[in-house]
Amino acid sequence: MSQQAARLVVFTRTADYRHESIPAGTEALRRVGAEDGFEVTATEDPAVLEREVARSGVAVVVFLSTSGDVLTPGAREALRLHVAGGGGFVGIHAAACTEYDWPYFGDLLGARFDRHPQLQPGTVTVADHDHPATRHLGARWRFTDEWYDFRSAPRGVRILARADESSYKGGGMGEDHPLVWCHERLGGRVFYTALGHTAEAFADRDFLAHLRGGIRYAAGWE
């Protein structure tokens, strides 16, 4: 898809915990999208999501800290067809807490949220620098977040970064603690980052570059 025709749909509906960072994240994605030439639509209405995804020119659908059961049957099918047809998907932070009763979404995202310790500084270890979401980072990236544990490690994905559990308190996955990954198993490109709990994160230059790289990857521009 050409950059001139590209559209970005940001979905932020919550049916469970609602992150206070969602407005800051939405505005950051609008800025990032505009800078890269995306037409950005943000919505919390699954009917709007269904309609927008069915329109031509949608490069990437972003789930920004969604939670709980947020999709209608029609919106589910629209998302599935979007990805099956080669469209991109990006999940940010609590997207992993979404649609637990829809097996496809778990396969799409790669893993399901389990728990997290208290918000605190920690260290991200970059496993793969050959990706637009991580190539700007050093080997170790100091960050403040909730350091999500997942019910199981994602399978069939490319791990881009891990959490160093020795750098914070309360980690529950051990030395191999995936935090950021991508895959192309379902037709389109999928990128997920567990980071993004705080509003301050969306003003962090490294984190914004991280998101921009993930979106550009999902759009097929990298």
Side-chain angles (χ1 to χ4, degrees), residues 2-159:
S2 70
Q3 295 187 24
Q4 291 77 13
R7 298 176 56 245
L8 184 72
V9 178
V10 180
F11 191 57
T12 58
R13 187 182 186 194
T14 57
D16 199 341
Y17 182 83
R18 185 169 183 84
H19 280 75
E20 294 180 358
S21 60
I22 287 175
T26 301
E27 288 307 306
L29 290 169
R30 287 189 186 278
R31 293 195 303 272
V32 167
E35 290 167 4
D36 274 6
F38 285 102
E39 176 188 337
V40 180
T41 298
T43 185
E44 298 198 356
D45 186 340
V48 173
L49 176 69
E50 179 181 353
R51 183 182 70 238
E52 290 295 314
V53 171
R55 291 175 59 192
S56 63
V58 175
V60 182
V61 174
V62 180
F63 274 38
L64 170 61
S65 284
T66 50
S67 66
D69 294 331
V70 294
L71 298 175
T72 61
R76 284 182 172 185
E77 183 64 4
L79 178 61
R80 188 190 67 78
L81 290 174
H82 165 75
V83 176
F89 178 84
V90 169
I92 300 173
H93 196 53
C97 308
T98 303
E99 293 288 326
Y100 282 100
D101 294 331
W102 186 25
Y104 172 84
F105 192 81
D107 196 23
L108 175 71
L109 205 64
R112 300 287 198 178
F113 168 80
D114 184 26
R115 58 172 293 277
H116 66 77
Q118 66 182 15
L119 179 72
Q120 61 189 299
T123 299
V124 179
T125 60
V126 177
D128 186 342
H129 280 101
D130 191 23
H131 190 281
T134 51
R135 65 170 58 120
H136 66 291
L137 298 170
R140 295 174 65 80
W141 178 23
R142 193 71 174 167
F143 203 74
T144 296
D145 218 286
E146 290 183 319
W147 309 105
Y148 276 9
D149 289 344
F150 300 95
R151 292 181 176 180
S152 60
R155 296 182 179 180
V157 302
R158 175 182 170 187
I159 302 297

Side-chain angles (χ1 to χ4, degrees), residues 128-213:
D128 186 342
H129 280 101
D130 191 23
H131 190 281
T134 51
R135 65 170 58 120
H136 66 291
L137 298 170
R140 295 174 65 80
W141 178 23
R142 193 71 174 167
F143 203 74
T144 296
D145 218 286
E146 290 183 319
W147 309 105
Y148 276 9
D149 289 344
F150 300 95
R151 292 181 176 180
S152 60
R155 296 182 179 180
V157 302
R158 175 182 170 187
I159 302 297
L160 304 178
R162 295 180 172 88
D164 177 1
E165 291 192 359
S166 71
S167 69
Y168 64 92
K169 296 180 180 179
M173 295 190 74
E175 292 185 6
D176 187 7
H177 184 153
L179 203 66
V180 183
W181 58 81
C182 63
H183 71 81
E184 302 176 25
R185 292 184 285 100
L186 300 177
R189 292 182 172 195
V190 175
F191 170 82
Y192 173 74
T193 178
L195 304 173
H197 173 74
T198 68
E200 290 78 11
F202 292 95
D204 182 283
R205 287 193 301 175
D206 283 337
F207 184 63
L208 291 177
H210 177 62
L211 293 182
R212 173 178 278 110

